Amino acid sequence: KQPSIPTDELIERVTSSIEEGAIPVEIYNDLGIFQREMDNIFGSCWVFVAHESEIPNKGDFVQRRIGIDPVIVTRGGGGDINVLSNYCRHRGTQVCQTDAGNSRFFKCPYHGWTYSNNGDLVGTPHVQDAYGERMDPEKFGLFKAPRVESRHGFIFASLAADGPSLDEYLGGAGWMFDLVVGLHPKGLRVAGPPERYQVKADWKTAAENFAGDTYHIDSLHWSVEEIGLAQGFQANTAISVTYEMDNGHAFNGHTWTKVIHPGYVLWGYPPEITEKFDLSEMDETQMFVLNHEPPATGTIFPNLSFIRIAAAIPPGTPPTILTSFRQWQPVAPGVLEIWNWQFVWDFQTPEEVEAAQQLGQFTFGSAGIFETDDTVAWEGAPRAAKSPWMKREQFAFNFDQSKRSPIDRENDPNWTGPGIKRNTGFGEMNQLHFYRQWANVMRDGIDGQLNPARKEGQ
Ligand code: FES
Ligand code: FE
């Protein structure tokens, strides 16, 4: 089916309407847009594929996805990390049919071509009878992601041979990432495989929500406040802070926990955990953020988000901290698969891991109290995008908070970290920053990836 509005025209429309604080509804369920996203965004940006703790030993592998393409992330015999296309070079069958395991080889189930775990073609059944001298195995290894880099164990891959390095791409978000996941030499590790579930939503809605939507908390998640699981929602948006980093990345310091724990530092981690942290590498501003306004959610463009919050279950007990990384996997126009990992510090005890897992499931698991609120709300966008009536109305989503600029919505003039900090959760600036990045990469691919955070009025 042909897209109803030419894709280039729709992208231009987004570019101009962003400045009016509006996003045309069509981009949330359009085949042409989806195909361009796969090509320009997932085909060029640094995309998270796995955490090193998921493949600690030689031969370990996990099956993952870059956009709609299945990839195998392997730990080779030399400890090297490979990101391999999971399409057999013979007829495209998936050579790896399981989510995770340990193997030196992947044997395609169809005709038996066999690849080593670094992607080399090492076996072709009946090779002499079938191909004679014509088979050159060097030409038929699995395709490999040309660039793979890790940061604090988080493995990112880019399908573009050239372009900004991971460091350049992350920019100030790398600085923030350091203080979220780099507080201990051994770092974080996964508490288990990612939970996966599909919802009829668009991946951008989820990414944008985690980049900047503090505004929804005291409405959509009010039941969480009502049952006493977390408190302070009503004040949250006003007292939150937002961090807009270069290249479309953004973070939110949701601060509701301050309301219940006035002395709250480091997300509310208890002393038996904070005393194990090594903060010697943190600069002065990172220490300020850690002690006063640590980011509770954030999005690394395009589709990796995290949440770290404290909550008490049952209410009245000491709070536990959860760290969930989630990846918004596009499946088809208007269809999203959520991948949800719980992370714990490498040094945490089995009891602490269990508590974090339980809290993670209770809040942001597939049946979690926050997650079910969010995903139902997010299903409106692709439905509206398919509505002939809404198209006639030229329905555009309202990001108008960004256009009103009371003084407290401006950039914090005293901010000494990278990017821009704003001392309120109102403003929807982070969301528009995400969409500006989206439009630039949709239009220009790799050449559109480096975009500075923008000061008010620029
Ligand atoms: Fe894999 Fe034929 S498709 S061996
Ligand atoms: Fe939410």
Side-chain angles (χ1 to χ4, degrees):
K1 184 179 166 298
Q2 286 299 307
S4 49
I5 303 175
T7 304
D8 289 326
E9 192 185 315
L10 204 38
I11 294 166
E12 274 320 303
R13 229 197 256 180
V14 174
T15 304
S16 52
S17 69
I18 285 172
E19 305 314 323
E20 303 305 315
I23 301 291
V25 69
E26 283 91 346
I27 66 163
Y28 298 99
N29 199 345
D30 179 275
L31 184 59
I33 288 288
F34 184 84
Q35 288 167 339
R36 184 73 63 86
E37 287 175 344
M38 293 310 109
D39 219 6
N40 277 15
I41 294 180
F42 292 90
S44 83
C45 290
W46 285 99
V47 177
F48 172 72
V49 287
H51 190 265
E52 289 190 32
S53 62
E54 296 180 280
I55 47 168
N57 304 311
K58 290 175 185 175
D60 285 349
F61 68 86
V62 286
Q63 189 181 170
R64 291 293 145 82
R65 213 185 274 173
I66 299 178
I68 52 172
D69 285 312
V71 294
I72 322 166
V73 184
T74 70
R75 175 83 67 178
D80 48 305
I81 291 170
N82 305 281
V83 178
L84 310 171
S85 152
N86 192 11
Y87 297 122
C88 179
R89 291 294 302 278
H90 185 221
R91 293 282 201 285
T93 300
Q94 287 189 221
V95 300
C96 171
Q97 303 266 343
T98 54
D99 285 339
N102 182 290
S103 178
R104 290 166 60 204
F105 302 104
F106 298 100
K107 182 177 175 191
C108 178
Y110 200 174
H111 312 91
W113 284 25
T114 300
Y115 304 87
S116 71
N117 64 6
N118 68 4
D120 293 345
L121 178 62
V122 292
T124 316
H126 312 291
V127 65
Q128 277 309 323
D129 290 344
Y131 300 99
E133 298 307 311
R134 292 194 322 284
M135 166 52 75
D136 178 0
E138 302 232 324
K139 286 192 186 145
F140 293 98
L142 295 174
F143 292 112
K144 287 175 101 152
R147 293 188 298 156
V148 178
E149 286 191 43
S150 284
R151 186 130 179 182
H152 298 297
F154 287 73
I155 307 165
F156 293 81
S158 166
L159 296 185
D162 304 307
S165 67
L166 180 61
D167 262 359
E168 287 172 296
Y169 178 86
L170 290 175
W175 177 92
M176 195 64 98
F177 201 55
D178 290 345
L179 71 81
V180 175
V181 305
L183 301 177
H184 187 267
K186 285 192 163 170
L188 290 169
R189 64 179 163 85
V190 295
E195 194 189 5
R196 305 161 200 214
Y197 37 99
Q198 282 197 8
V199 291
K200 291 182 188 135
D202 184 274
W203 68 274
K204 296 184 287 300
T205 305
E208 162 231 294
N209 174 290
F210 273 70
D213 202 316
T214 56
Y215 186 49
H216 78 290
I217 308 244
D218 74 359
S219 173
L220 186 64
H221 300 309
W222 185 248
S223 65
V224 182
E225 163 98 37
E226 266 183 332
I227 62 168
L229 178 65
Q231 279 126 31
F233 282 9
Q234 203 122 54
N236 183 54
T237 314
I239 64 174
S240 286
V241 298
T242 60
Y243 303 97
E244 177 181 324
M245 298 298 173
D246 292 352
N247 312 335
H249 317 302
F251 301 82
N252 262 298
H254 292 291
T255 43
W256 74 69
T257 319
K258 278 187 183 174
V259 176
I260 20 176
H261 306 291
Y264 155 90
V265 293
L266 284 150
W267 294 274
Y269 274 118
E272 60 271 24
I273 291 191
T274 55
E275 72 194 10
K276 298 209 174 72
F277 287 158
D278 175 1
L279 308 179
S280 58
E281 299 285 302
M282 298 293 138
D283 67 31
E284 214 175 297
T285 311
Q286 284 172 313
M287 285 308 301
F288 176 84
V289 172
L290 283 167
N291 284 327
H292 300 282
E293 288 154 342
T297 70
T299 294
I300 308 272
F301 188 89
N303 68 333
L304 179 67
S305 297
F306 81 96
I307 180 154
R308 176 175 290 157
I309 53 165
I313 42 169
T317 59
T320 300
I321 314 291
L322 77 95
T323 302
S324 156
F325 272 79
R326 40 246 340 276
Q327 193 167 27
W328 316 112
Q329 304 280 24
V331 174
V335 184
L336 158 70
E337 193 166 294
I338 300 176
W339 288 23
N340 175 37
W341 290 259
Q342 304 293 336
F343 278 80
V344 291
W345 296 102
D346 189 70
F347 58 76
Q348 285 191 273
T349 64
E351 295 73 31
E352 288 166 347
V353 172
E354 176 71 21
Q357 277 271 44
Q358 274 184 16
L359 180 63
Q361 286 302 307
F362 189 76
T363 50
F364 284 92
S366 57
I369 189 164
F370 282 91
E371 195 85 339
T372 48
D373 290 343
D374 284 323
T375 49
V376 170
W378 295 344
E379 292 190 349
R383 232 179 271 155
K386 276 290 166 211
S387 156
W389 179 19
M390 292 304 106
K391 282 181 192 158
R392 282 203 301 278
E393 301 281 3
Q394 299 195 336
F395 185 20
F397 288 171
N398 181 319
F399 290 83
D400 197 41
Q401 285 182 27
S402 62
K403 300 315 293 176
R404 299 176 52 231
S405 304
I407 191 80
D408 66 357
R409 226 168 269 185
E410 290 177 1
N411 328 306
D412 181 341
N414 301 317
W415 173 240
T416 48
I420 291 168
K421 178 183 171 220
R422 298 185 175 90
N423 292 317
T424 172
F426 291 111
E428 298 177 332
M429 310 299 287
N430 281 3
Q431 291 97 311
L432 289 187
H433 183 55
F434 172 87
Y435 285 112
R436 242 182 239 119
Q437 180 78 10
W438 178 88
N440 288 339
V441 181
M442 285 290 271
R443 193 176 47 246
D444 300 328
I446 298 165
D447 296 337
Q449 284 180 8
L450 299 181
N451 301 290
R454 296 204 333 179
K455 302 213 185 311
E456 193 90 358
Q458 276 182 337

